[in-house]
Amino acid sequence: MNRTEQRDLADTAYEALRDDIAEWRLAPGTSLAEVETSARLGMSRTPVRQALRRLHREGLAQPAGRGFVVAPVSVDGVTALFQAREALEVYAMRLAAHAVDRAEFGDLAARYDKAARRKTVDADEIYALSAEFDQAVDRAANNAYITEMLTQLRIHLHRLRRLSRHRLDRLRVSAEQHVAIARAIESGNERQAAQLSADRLRDSLDTVLQSLSTSLIGPDDHAPAPLGVQST
């Protein structure tokens, strides 16, 4: 096997494990032993070892004995994550408001508004719109360094979504907040876009921290089960 094939396998292993962690198929504290993980993924230990080291660098896995376990979710960690997110994302909103072409934000505002007005909020629809919104902001901000850092943060943020997925009231509010932010960007109102974004992020942090305080998460969003979180 050449180096390119080895690298591709390592990327495949990383993406599979990252997605399993983000979707809580691998809960905090779950062992990521090389032998068992290699057998589960159907590949040799070398690419799995490389994938685990990458997960460790990104904070999704932590050392335990001679191997790794899925990193816990801690109050301090979540708070630090949102602090970094606010610093980067709010500035990205400012840059986006100065983009030459901001028409797509008008379309996003309309679609968010439609989603928020539904009788029953569709979580998958809101999350899909949020992914499109993030990509639109990345394009409009046109700053590769900020985009790269936000991409890394979003890996962790995707993991936290499961904590508030059952909070349909919060998802509706988030959609309404995105409407206002998108319209502010479309109109080129840098200050308003930044303030609205900061307010939304702080509301989102409060929601996640409230969920952590109960230490509960439901595997099917209906039947809660203990969540491996750390408090400080």
Side-chain angles (χ1 to χ4, degrees), residues 88 91-96 99 134-151 154:
L88 292 167
Y91 191 68
M93 300 297 173
R94 290 183 176 276
L95 293 177
D134 289 343
Q135 292 168 4
V137 170
D138 289 345
R139 287 191 296 270
N142 193 30
N143 186 305
Y145 296 105
I146 291 178
T147 296
E148 181 179 0
M149 288 185 282
L150 282 173
T151 297
R154 286 167 188 156

PDB file of all heavy atoms in Angstrom, residues 88 91-96 99 134-151 154:
ATOM      1  N   LEU A  88     -14.646  34.820  16.622  1.00  0.00           N
ATOM      2  CA  LEU A  88     -14.442  34.604  15.191  1.00  0.00           C
ATOM      3  C   LEU A  88     -15.703  34.872  14.374  1.00  0.00           C
ATOM      4  O   LEU A  88     -15.662  35.538  13.340  1.00  0.00           O
ATOM      5  CB  LEU A  88     -13.985  33.159  14.950  1.00  0.00           C
ATOM      6  CG  LEU A  88     -12.592  32.795  15.468  1.00  0.00           C
ATOM      7  CD1 LEU A  88     -12.406  31.280  15.456  1.00  0.00           C
ATOM      8  CD2 LEU A  88     -11.520  33.465  14.623  1.00  0.00           C
ATOM      9  N   TYR A  91     -16.949  38.576  14.043  1.00  0.00           N
ATOM     10  CA  TYR A  91     -16.120  39.344  13.115  1.00  0.00           C
ATOM     11  C   TYR A  91     -16.401  38.926  11.672  1.00  0.00           C
ATOM     12  O   TYR A  91     -16.418  39.760  10.761  1.00  0.00           O
ATOM     13  CB  TYR A  91     -14.633  39.158  13.425  1.00  0.00           C
ATOM     14  CG  TYR A  91     -13.752  40.119  12.665  1.00  0.00           C
ATOM     15  CD1 TYR A  91     -13.780  41.480  12.953  1.00  0.00           C
ATOM     16  CD2 TYR A  91     -12.924  39.679  11.638  1.00  0.00           C
ATOM     17  CE1 TYR A  91     -12.997  42.380  12.249  1.00  0.00           C
ATOM     18  CE2 TYR A  91     -12.143  40.572  10.926  1.00  0.00           C
ATOM     19  CZ  TYR A  91     -12.181  41.922  11.239  1.00  0.00           C
ATOM     20  OH  TYR A  91     -11.406  42.812  10.535  1.00  0.00           O
ATOM     21  N   ALA A  92     -16.645  37.627  11.479  1.00  0.00           N
ATOM     22  CA  ALA A  92     -16.988  37.144  10.137  1.00  0.00           C
ATOM     23  C   ALA A  92     -18.280  37.797   9.645  1.00  0.00           C
ATOM     24  O   ALA A  92     -18.416  38.111   8.452  1.00  0.00           O
ATOM     25  CB  ALA A  92     -17.128  35.624  10.136  1.00  0.00           C
ATOM     26  N   MET A  93     -19.242  38.021  10.548  1.00  0.00           N
ATOM     27  CA  MET A  93     -20.485  38.691  10.172  1.00  0.00           C
ATOM     28  C   MET A  93     -20.210  40.119   9.711  1.00  0.00           C
ATOM     29  O   MET A  93     -20.809  40.616   8.745  1.00  0.00           O
ATOM     30  CB  MET A  93     -21.466  38.719  11.350  1.00  0.00           C
ATOM     31  CG  MET A  93     -21.879  37.364  11.884  1.00  0.00           C
ATOM     32  SD  MET A  93     -22.774  36.356  10.690  1.00  0.00           S
ATOM     33  CE  MET A  93     -22.869  34.815  11.613  1.00  0.00           C
ATOM     34  N   ARG A  94     -19.296  40.779  10.396  1.00  0.00           N
ATOM     35  CA  ARG A  94     -18.928  42.145  10.007  1.00  0.00           C
ATOM     36  C   ARG A  94     -18.343  42.156   8.597  1.00  0.00           C
ATOM     37  O   ARG A  94     -18.694  43.011   7.771  1.00  0.00           O
ATOM     38  CB  ARG A  94     -17.908  42.714  10.998  1.00  0.00           C
ATOM     39  CG  ARG A  94     -18.467  43.025  12.378  1.00  0.00           C
ATOM     40  CD  ARG A  94     -17.390  43.661  13.262  1.00  0.00           C
ATOM     41  NE  ARG A  94     -17.908  44.051  14.560  1.00  0.00           N
ATOM     42  CZ  ARG A  94     -18.528  45.195  14.825  1.00  0.00           C
ATOM     43  NH1 ARG A  94     -18.712  46.077  13.852  1.00  0.00           N
ATOM     44  NH2 ARG A  94     -18.967  45.475  16.034  1.00  0.00           N
ATOM     45  N   LEU A  95     -17.453  41.211   8.334  1.00  0.00           N
ATOM     46  CA  LEU A  95     -16.844  41.139   7.006  1.00  0.00           C
ATOM     47  C   LEU A  95     -17.894  40.817   5.944  1.00  0.00           C
ATOM     48  O   LEU A  95     -17.880  41.385   4.845  1.00  0.00           O
ATOM     49  CB  LEU A  95     -15.751  40.067   6.991  1.00  0.00           C
ATOM     50  CG  LEU A  95     -14.508  40.345   7.840  1.00  0.00           C
ATOM     51  CD1 LEU A  95     -13.552  39.155   7.777  1.00  0.00           C
ATOM     52  CD2 LEU A  95     -13.795  41.613   7.380  1.00  0.00           C
ATOM     53  N   ALA A  96     -18.798  39.899   6.278  1.00  0.00           N
ATOM     54  CA  ALA A  96     -19.834  39.496   5.321  1.00  0.00           C
ATOM     55  C   ALA A  96     -20.717  40.675   4.941  1.00  0.00           C
ATOM     56  O   ALA A  96     -21.171  40.789   3.783  1.00  0.00           O
ATOM     57  CB  ALA A  96     -20.682  38.371   5.915  1.00  0.00           C
ATOM     58  N   ALA A  99     -19.453  42.504   1.953  1.00  0.00           N
ATOM     59  CA  ALA A  99     -19.266  41.788   0.687  1.00  0.00           C
ATOM     60  C   ALA A  99     -19.991  42.515  -0.448  1.00  0.00           C
ATOM     61  O   ALA A  99     -21.028  43.161  -0.232  1.00  0.00           O
ATOM     62  CB  ALA A  99     -19.780  40.363   0.805  1.00  0.00           C
ATOM     63  N   ASP A 134     -23.719  29.173   7.304  1.00  0.00           N
ATOM     64  CA  ASP A 134     -22.291  29.199   7.631  1.00  0.00           C
ATOM     65  C   ASP A 134     -21.442  29.295   6.365  1.00  0.00           C
ATOM     66  O   ASP A 134     -20.468  30.062   6.303  1.00  0.00           O
ATOM     67  CB  ASP A 134     -21.900  27.943   8.416  1.00  0.00           C
ATOM     68  CG  ASP A 134     -22.446  27.938   9.832  1.00  0.00           C
ATOM     69  OD1 ASP A 134     -22.840  29.017  10.334  1.00  0.00           O
ATOM     70  OD2 ASP A 134     -22.482  26.848  10.450  1.00  0.00           O
ATOM     71  N   GLN A 135     -21.797  28.505   5.362  1.00  0.00           N
ATOM     72  CA  GLN A 135     -21.043  28.519   4.107  1.00  0.00           C
ATOM     73  C   GLN A 135     -21.165  29.875   3.418  1.00  0.00           C
ATOM     74  O   GLN A 135     -20.191  30.380   2.837  1.00  0.00           O
ATOM     75  CB  GLN A 135     -21.546  27.405   3.190  1.00  0.00           C
ATOM     76  CG  GLN A 135     -21.227  26.004   3.700  1.00  0.00           C
ATOM     77  CD  GLN A 135     -21.973  24.920   2.948  1.00  0.00           C
ATOM     78  OE1 GLN A 135     -22.684  25.193   1.977  1.00  0.00           O
ATOM     79  NE2 GLN A 135     -21.844  23.681   3.398  1.00  0.00           N
ATOM     80  N   ALA A 136     -22.355  30.474   3.487  1.00  0.00           N
ATOM     81  CA  ALA A 136     -22.561  31.787   2.867  1.00  0.00           C
ATOM     82  C   ALA A 136     -21.716  32.851   3.563  1.00  0.00           C
ATOM     83  O   ALA A 136     -21.113  33.714   2.913  1.00  0.00           O
ATOM     84  CB  ALA A 136     -24.039  32.166   2.922  1.00  0.00           C
ATOM     85  N   VAL A 137     -21.661  32.784   4.889  1.00  0.00           N
ATOM     86  CA  VAL A 137     -20.845  33.731   5.649  1.00  0.00           C
ATOM     87  C   VAL A 137     -19.367  33.539   5.315  1.00  0.00           C
ATOM     88  O   VAL A 137     -18.631  34.511   5.124  1.00  0.00           O
ATOM     89  CB  VAL A 137     -21.081  33.573   7.168  1.00  0.00           C
ATOM     90  CG1 VAL A 137     -20.049  34.387   7.962  1.00  0.00           C
ATOM     91  CG2 VAL A 137     -22.489  34.016   7.535  1.00  0.00           C
ATOM     92  N   ASP A 138     -18.926  32.284   5.228  1.00  0.00           N
ATOM     93  CA  ASP A 138     -17.531  32.004   4.880  1.00  0.00           C
ATOM     94  C   ASP A 138     -17.176  32.614   3.525  1.00  0.00           C
ATOM     95  O   ASP A 138     -16.117  33.236   3.377  1.00  0.00           O
ATOM     96  CB  ASP A 138     -17.278  30.494   4.840  1.00  0.00           C
ATOM     97  CG  ASP A 138     -17.295  29.852   6.223  1.00  0.00           C
ATOM     98  OD1 ASP A 138     -17.225  30.596   7.223  1.00  0.00           O
ATOM     99  OD2 ASP A 138     -17.389  28.615   6.297  1.00  0.00           O
ATOM    100  N   ARG A 139     -18.068  32.441   2.569  1.00  0.00           N
ATOM    101  CA  ARG A 139     -17.795  32.980   1.230  1.00  0.00           C
ATOM    102  C   ARG A 139     -17.769  34.508   1.250  1.00  0.00           C
ATOM    103  O   ARG A 139     -16.898  35.144   0.655  1.00  0.00           O
ATOM    104  CB  ARG A 139     -18.847  32.485   0.227  1.00  0.00           C
ATOM    105  CG  ARG A 139     -18.706  31.025  -0.169  1.00  0.00           C
ATOM    106  CD  ARG A 139     -19.598  30.702  -1.356  1.00  0.00           C
ATOM    107  NE  ARG A 139     -21.017  30.850  -1.019  1.00  0.00           N
ATOM    108  CZ  ARG A 139     -21.770  29.874  -0.540  1.00  0.00           C
ATOM    109  NH1 ARG A 139     -21.244  28.672  -0.313  1.00  0.00           N
ATOM    110  NH2 ARG A 139     -23.055  30.068  -0.273  1.00  0.00           N
ATOM    111  N   ALA A 140     -18.760  35.091   1.935  1.00  0.00           N
ATOM    112  CA  ALA A 140     -18.867  36.552   1.944  1.00  0.00           C
ATOM    113  C   ALA A 140     -17.730  37.199   2.735  1.00  0.00           C
ATOM    114  O   ALA A 140     -17.205  38.245   2.350  1.00  0.00           O
ATOM    115  CB  ALA A 140     -20.214  36.975   2.526  1.00  0.00           C
ATOM    116  N   ALA A 141     -17.339  36.578   3.846  1.00  0.00           N
ATOM    117  CA  ALA A 141     -16.252  37.122   4.665  1.00  0.00           C
ATOM    118  C   ALA A 141     -14.932  37.047   3.917  1.00  0.00           C
ATOM    119  O   ALA A 141     -14.068  37.919   4.053  1.00  0.00           O
ATOM    120  CB  ALA A 141     -16.154  36.373   5.988  1.00  0.00           C
ATOM    121  N   ASN A 142     -14.763  35.970   3.135  1.00  0.00           N
ATOM    122  CA  ASN A 142     -13.598  35.826   2.257  1.00  0.00           C
ATOM    123  C   ASN A 142     -12.273  35.957   3.018  1.00  0.00           C
ATOM    124  O   ASN A 142     -11.371  36.696   2.619  1.00  0.00           O
ATOM    125  CB  ASN A 142     -13.663  36.872   1.130  1.00  0.00           C
ATOM    126  CG  ASN A 142     -12.665  36.569   0.017  1.00  0.00           C
ATOM    127  OD1 ASN A 142     -12.341  35.414  -0.235  1.00  0.00           O
ATOM    128  ND2 ASN A 142     -12.184  37.607  -0.648  1.00  0.00           N
ATOM    129  N   ASN A 143     -12.193  35.226   4.129  1.00  0.00           N
ATOM    130  CA  ASN A 143     -10.966  35.210   4.926  1.00  0.00           C
ATOM    131  C   ASN A 143     -10.637  33.754   5.231  1.00  0.00           C
ATOM    132  O   ASN A 143     -11.294  33.129   6.069  1.00  0.00           O
ATOM    133  CB  ASN A 143     -11.149  36.013   6.215  1.00  0.00           C
ATOM    134  CG  ASN A 143      -9.858  36.140   7.014  1.00  0.00           C
ATOM    135  OD1 ASN A 143      -9.222  35.150   7.352  1.00  0.00           O
ATOM    136  ND2 ASN A 143      -9.479  37.370   7.321  1.00  0.00           N
ATOM    137  N   ALA A 144      -9.657  33.216   4.550  1.00  0.00           N
ATOM    138  CA  ALA A 144      -9.340  31.789   4.658  1.00  0.00           C
ATOM    139  C   ALA A 144      -8.942  31.385   6.071  1.00  0.00           C
ATOM    140  O   ALA A 144      -9.247  30.270   6.519  1.00  0.00           O
ATOM    141  CB  ALA A 144      -8.223  31.426   3.680  1.00  0.00           C
ATOM    142  N   TYR A 145      -8.270  32.271   6.787  1.00  0.00           N
ATOM    143  CA  TYR A 145      -7.837  31.939   8.145  1.00  0.00           C
ATOM    144  C   TYR A 145      -9.025  31.806   9.090  1.00  0.00           C
ATOM    145  O   TYR A 145      -9.107  30.868   9.896  1.00  0.00           O
ATOM    146  CB  TYR A 145      -6.866  33.007   8.667  1.00  0.00           C
ATOM    147  CG  TYR A 145      -5.577  33.086   7.888  1.00  0.00           C
ATOM    148  CD1 TYR A 145      -5.338  34.130   6.993  1.00  0.00           C
ATOM    149  CD2 TYR A 145      -4.594  32.101   8.023  1.00  0.00           C
ATOM    150  CE1 TYR A 145      -4.151  34.201   6.268  1.00  0.00           C
ATOM    151  CE2 TYR A 145      -3.414  32.164   7.292  1.00  0.00           C
ATOM    152  CZ  TYR A 145      -3.200  33.214   6.421  1.00  0.00           C
ATOM    153  OH  TYR A 145      -2.037  33.269   5.703  1.00  0.00           O
ATOM    154  N   ILE A 146      -9.953  32.740   9.002  1.00  0.00           N
ATOM    155  CA  ILE A 146     -11.137  32.672   9.848  1.00  0.00           C
ATOM    156  C   ILE A 146     -11.970  31.445   9.496  1.00  0.00           C
ATOM    157  O   ILE A 146     -12.457  30.729  10.378  1.00  0.00           O
ATOM    158  CB  ILE A 146     -11.982  33.956   9.708  1.00  0.00           C
ATOM    159  CG1 ILE A 146     -11.238  35.135  10.322  1.00  0.00           C
ATOM    160  CG2 ILE A 146     -13.349  33.786  10.387  1.00  0.00           C
ATOM    161  CD1 ILE A 146     -11.957  36.459  10.190  1.00  0.00           C
ATOM    162  N   THR A 147     -12.122  31.168   8.203  1.00  0.00           N
ATOM    163  CA  THR A 147     -12.891  30.000   7.772  1.00  0.00           C
ATOM    164  C   THR A 147     -12.286  28.712   8.307  1.00  0.00           C
ATOM    165  O   THR A 147     -13.008  27.822   8.785  1.00  0.00           O
ATOM    166  CB  THR A 147     -12.965  29.945   6.238  1.00  0.00           C
ATOM    167  OG1 THR A 147     -13.691  31.088   5.763  1.00  0.00           O
ATOM    168  CG2 THR A 147     -13.667  28.684   5.770  1.00  0.00           C
ATOM    169  N   GLU A 148     -10.963  28.605   8.231  1.00  0.00           N
ATOM    170  CA  GLU A 148     -10.304  27.392   8.716  1.00  0.00           C
ATOM    171  C   GLU A 148     -10.532  27.197  10.212  1.00  0.00           C
ATOM    172  O   GLU A 148     -10.840  26.086  10.668  1.00  0.00           O
ATOM    173  CB  GLU A 148      -8.807  27.458   8.432  1.00  0.00           C
ATOM    174  CG  GLU A 148      -8.044  26.212   8.877  1.00  0.00           C
ATOM    175  CD  GLU A 148      -6.566  26.273   8.559  1.00  0.00           C
ATOM    176  OE1 GLU A 148      -6.121  27.287   7.983  1.00  0.00           O
ATOM    177  OE2 GLU A 148      -5.836  25.315   8.905  1.00  0.00           O
ATOM    178  N   MET A 149     -10.416  28.262  10.980  1.00  0.00           N
ATOM    179  CA  MET A 149     -10.614  28.150  12.425  1.00  0.00           C
ATOM    180  C   MET A 149     -12.068  27.846  12.768  1.00  0.00           C
ATOM    181  O   MET A 149     -12.353  27.041  13.668  1.00  0.00           O
ATOM    182  CB  MET A 149     -10.150  29.429  13.110  1.00  0.00           C
ATOM    183  CG  MET A 149      -8.634  29.592  13.118  1.00  0.00           C
ATOM    184  SD  MET A 149      -8.047  31.046  14.050  1.00  0.00           S
ATOM    185  CE  MET A 149      -8.389  32.353  12.853  1.00  0.00           C
ATOM    186  N   LEU A 150     -13.003  28.472  12.054  1.00  0.00           N
ATOM    187  CA  LEU A 150     -14.419  28.189  12.302  1.00  0.00           C
ATOM    188  C   LEU A 150     -14.775  26.756  11.923  1.00  0.00           C
ATOM    189  O   LEU A 150     -15.597  26.118  12.587  1.00  0.00           O
ATOM    190  CB  LEU A 150     -15.292  29.168  11.516  1.00  0.00           C
ATOM    191  CG  LEU A 150     -15.439  30.571  12.105  1.00  0.00           C
ATOM    192  CD1 LEU A 150     -16.186  31.486  11.139  1.00  0.00           C
ATOM    193  CD2 LEU A 150     -16.161  30.522  13.451  1.00  0.00           C
ATOM    194  N   THR A 151     -14.151  26.243  10.884  1.00  0.00           N
ATOM    195  CA  THR A 151     -14.398  24.859  10.474  1.00  0.00           C
ATOM    196  C   THR A 151     -14.034  23.895  11.590  1.00  0.00           C
ATOM    197  O   THR A 151     -14.767  22.930  11.859  1.00  0.00           O
ATOM    198  CB  THR A 151     -13.598  24.524   9.203  1.00  0.00           C
ATOM    199  OG1 THR A 151     -14.048  25.365   8.132  1.00  0.00           O
ATOM    200  CG2 THR A 151     -13.796  23.069   8.799  1.00  0.00           C
ATOM    201  N   ARG A 154     -16.622  24.120  14.347  1.00  0.00           N
ATOM    202  CA  ARG A 154     -17.922  23.544  13.989  1.00  0.00           C
ATOM    203  C   ARG A 154     -17.972  22.036  14.190  1.00  0.00           C
ATOM    204  O   ARG A 154     -19.057  21.474  14.380  1.00  0.00           O
ATOM    205  CB  ARG A 154     -18.260  23.908  12.541  1.00  0.00           C
ATOM    206  CG  ARG A 154     -18.664  25.370  12.375  1.00  0.00           C
ATOM    207  CD  ARG A 154     -18.692  25.794  10.931  1.00  0.00           C
ATOM    208  NE  ARG A 154     -18.900  27.246  10.819  1.00  0.00           N
ATOM    209  CZ  ARG A 154     -18.528  27.970   9.776  1.00  0.00           C
ATOM    210  NH1 ARG A 154     -17.925  27.388   8.735  1.00  0.00           N
ATOM    211  NH2 ARG A 154     -18.741  29.266   9.753  1.00  0.00           N
TER     212      ARG A 154
END
